[in-house]
Amino acid sequence: DVKVTQSSRYLVKRTGEKVFLECVQDMDHENMFWYRQDPGLGLRLIYFSYDVKMKEKGDIPEGYSVSREKKERFSLILESASTNQTSMYLCASRPGTRNYGYTFGSGTRLTVV
Amino acid sequence: AQSVTQLDSQVPVFEEAPVELRCNYSSSVSVYLFWYVQYPNQGLQLLLKYLSGSTLVESINGFEAEFNKSQTSFHLRKPSVHISDTAEYFCAVSDRTGGYQKVTFGTGTKLQVIP
């Protein structure tokens, strides 16, 4: 079964901490994405990557950065966590063909206190 | 710019009753359309998609959606719901043009099936 695996299901961090959210896919997909999901706002795109070492800003990149050193791994970094970054974070991947849907991970629920 | 509107944030329905979850989109170009389902404490799963051809698409668990270009809609329907259909459903649209395929999600509709 193809998979997108997010390393943590729940995380609690303190304000100001640097936070790493990891995502690994085993499908050899070119494209990878990070979304955050908040009630009433749906999914908002933070960053995405077409391929290894490539990254593009999404709709809400402020306060985040990403790293993609290997094709299967896409990391989201919160440089200095703030309480307004408390959210559900979803990683997704897709082949490099636009008419495929996404495969999502199970999500990481991050709480910043 | 493209957008997706799911007007109903919550839809309660009795078990074995029919249901329709509404989705309207706007886009200046041709689009692909998707429905995703999110069960509690899980990520999203692709339910069905419209790419081209027949405007009626079906999923393996009895849902169907119809692309209506004139009304810019892609409503999701099921003739008889089950308790296990309780979940949040997201409509999504992506454009067919060159460059990065921007995908826009709706805000979701929570389907609550009542026994």
Side-chain angles (χ1 to χ4, degrees):
Chain A
D1 213 11
V2 295
K3 269 190 174 176
V4 175
T5 302
Q6 294 184 233
S7 54
S8 301
R9 192 76 180 91
Y10 299 95
L11 273 180
V12 180
K13 296 292 181 180
R14 296 195 181 276
T15 302
E17 279 193 76
K18 190 169 186 177
V19 181
F20 293 85
L21 302 184
E22 305 287 346
C23 175
V24 177
Q25 51 97 1
D26 64 1
M27 297 164 284
D28 201 35
H29 285 172
E30 287 80 11
N31 303 161
M32 295 188 75
F33 308 83
W34 275 106
Y35 286 86
R36 64 177 284 177
Q37 181 182 11
D38 300 287
L41 298 178
L43 277 71
R44 293 180 291 168
L45 181 63
I46 306 171
Y47 267 96
F48 62 97
S49 170
Y50 284 127
D51 209 335
V52 179
K53 297 194 185 293
M54 298 180 68
K55 58 185 179 183
E56 298 284 344
K57 293 180 179 179
D59 299 320
I60 52 164
E62 297 78 18
Y64 303 95
S65 62
V66 291
S67 172
R68 194 166 180 203
E69 296 297 317
K70 294 185 178 181
K71 191 174 186 179
E72 67 270 18
R73 186 180 296 271
F74 192 36
S75 303
L76 179 69
I77 304 155
L78 285 66
E79 298 292 343
S80 177
S82 64
T83 54
N84 63 10
Q85 291 178 311
T86 292
S87 186
M88 171 69 88
Y89 290 87
L90 293 169
C91 177
S93 72
R94 183 189 67 194
T97 304
R98 69 188 65 208
N99 60 0
Y100 280 85
Y102 291 157
T103 300
F104 280 89
S106 298
T108 296
R109 187 166 293 281
L110 173 67
T111 302
V112 182
V113 299
Chain B
Q2 57 193 24
S3 66
V4 179
T5 302
Q6 293 182 250
L7 285 173
D8 304 309
S9 60
Q10 294 190 49
V11 173
V13 63
F14 285 106
E15 193 174 16
E16 298 184 2
V19 69
E20 178 180 84
L21 306 183
R22 296 181 293 169
C23 172
N24 288 89
Y25 71 92
S26 67
S27 176
S28 58
V29 298
S30 297
V31 296
Y32 300 117
L33 293 157
F34 304 85
W35 274 100
Y36 288 85
V37 58
Q38 185 179 33
Y39 298 104
N41 298 314
Q42 295 186 26
L44 279 70
Q45 302 173 33
L46 181 65
L47 186 61
L48 47 77
K49 61 184 177 183
Y50 170 76
L51 305 179
S52 63
S54 173
T55 58
L56 185 66
V57 290
E58 298 178 354
S59 72
I60 58 173
N61 58 353
F63 282 94
E64 64 180 29
E66 185 162 19
F67 170 54
N68 188 318
K69 188 175 182 180
S70 62
Q71 297 187 5
T72 60
S73 68
F74 191 54
H75 300 332
L76 182 69
R77 302 184 183 97
K78 190 170 186 180
S80 176
V81 295
H82 189 268
I83 292 289
S84 60
D85 294 323
T86 295
E88 190 161 17
Y89 293 80
F90 292 89
C91 183
V93 60
S94 67
D95 66 70
R96 296 171 175 256
T97 59
Y100 167 63
Q101 173 205 6
K102 181 175 173 61
V103 177
T104 301
F105 286 84
T107 53
T109 298
K110 289 185 178 178
L111 174 62
Q112 181 186 7
V113 180
I114 304 163

